[in-house]
Amino acid sequence: WCSPRVRAQCVCAWCVPVPHALSVPAEPSLHTLSEVLFCQPDTPLLGLSVAFDSEQLFSFDVPNSQWLPQLPDGPAWPAGIEQPQELLHDTELCRELCLDGCIPVADVFLKEPLQLGYPNTLVCMVANIFPPAITISWQRDGIPVTDGVTHLTYTPMEDLGFMRFSYLEVTPHSGDIYSCIVTRERDNVSVVAYWVPQDPIPSDVLAMAVCGAVTVLGILLALLGLGLLLSACRRRAWGK
């Protein structure tokens, strides 16, 4: 039995007996015994479960302060291991940390390089989500947009939070103002990220500007060389 910790995962391994006739040694079979404690302002407020690989074994009934097997006829929780009174500190700490939830962080960017007047896709990347209960909406110039919108599901992150993406099919024009609005469902607190297309420099204009700069630089270098040559000639004349 691995030591239980809040939101921790333990990896247990053991070997499977192999007949002596086999020359290849058996590799240990890896399994994951995980215990996950969560708390959130939404219902359910608290939850604690123990799972072996992807199969849940036990859950903790917080109101009644007792462990319950996943199957009605399953074995009882082992006596002497993480008794209900030992969970009080973890549950209270979880309440203090997660009572207000997390403020999402949103960022909006183009999927492809900007070309005004050509179809493209805006990406709204929302991070620092917990609990995973938000809505994402789009606006263009303050007007809600629903066509061409695609929402992806929540992606769990290593910091135990979540990330979510939303896509909007657009044809950007100069002066457009797009906004991605992220709203927490429980209290309607919203975070807004804006995107405004910046006028790209046309390639022909950029090429002309570069050619002009190179030409000016060449003229300056030629004048500098001519000045140095004249100066050297004068010094020779004075030396004679």
Side-chain angles (χ1 to χ4, degrees):
W1 186 269
C2 301
S3 312
R5 301 185 61 146
V6 176
R7 294 187 178 183
Q9 289 189 336
C10 306
V11 178
C12 304
W14 58 86
C15 296
V16 179
V18 178
H20 294 290
L22 297 179
S23 59
V24 179
E27 296 183 358
S29 300
L30 297 180
H31 298 275
T32 302
L33 180 65
S34 60
E35 180 182 90
V36 179
L37 169 66
F38 72 88
C39 52
Q40 59 183 11
D42 307 280
T43 303
L45 300 178
L46 282 170
L48 177 61
S49 64
V50 175
F52 182 75
D53 290 341
S54 60
E55 298 294 332
Q56 182 170 329
L57 302 179
F58 296 94
S59 61
F60 187 71
D61 183 0
V62 178
N64 295 318
S65 189
Q66 62 177 345
W67 285 99
L68 300 176
Q70 176 68 7
L71 299 177
D73 56 348
W77 180 260
I81 297 178
E82 199 169 21
Q83 295 304 302
Q85 60 271 17
E86 300 176 16
L87 301 173
L88 294 179
H89 174 73
D90 292 338
T91 54
E92 289 302 321
L93 178 62
C94 192
R95 287 179 185 271
E96 293 176 3
L97 293 177
C98 303
L99 183 60
D100 295 331
C102 300
I103 302 298
V105 178
D107 186 24
V108 180
F109 52 89
L110 275 179
K111 187 177 181 181
E112 303 292 341
L114 174 63
Q115 286 185 292
L116 295 179
Y118 289 87
N120 210 322
T121 302
L122 274 178
V123 181
C124 184
M125 181 180 68
V126 186
N128 197 43
I129 302 173
F130 187 85
I134 64 168
T135 57
I136 302 176
S137 58
W138 290 88
Q139 289 186 359
R140 176 188 175 188
D141 298 332
I143 301 175
V145 178
T146 56
D147 293 338
V149 175
T150 302
H151 300 306
L152 299 188
T153 57
Y154 297 96
T155 302
M157 308 301 294
E158 293 182 356
D159 61 357
L160 302 180
F162 294 85
M163 179 179 290
R164 193 178 186 188
F165 290 88
S166 180
Y167 299 91
L168 174 64
E169 303 296 330
V170 298
T171 301
H173 295 86
S174 180
D176 289 344
I177 300 177
Y178 290 92
S179 56
C180 174
I181 305 172
V182 182
T183 305
R184 294 195 304 189
E185 295 178 356
R186 66 179 184 85
D187 54 10
N188 289 328
V189 173
S190 297
V191 174
V192 183
Y194 295 94
W195 182 84
V196 178
Q198 302 295 327
D199 293 339
I201 301 176
S203 58
D204 54 345
V205 175
L206 181 60
M208 292 180 60
V210 172
C211 290
V214 172
T215 302
V216 172
L217 180 61
I219 294 174
L220 291 176
L221 291 176
L223 292 176
L224 179 61
L226 181 60
L228 292 175
L229 180 61
L230 293 176
S231 177
C233 292
R234 288 178 181 177
R235 288 180 182 179
R236 290 180 180 179
W238 290 341
K240 294 180 179 179

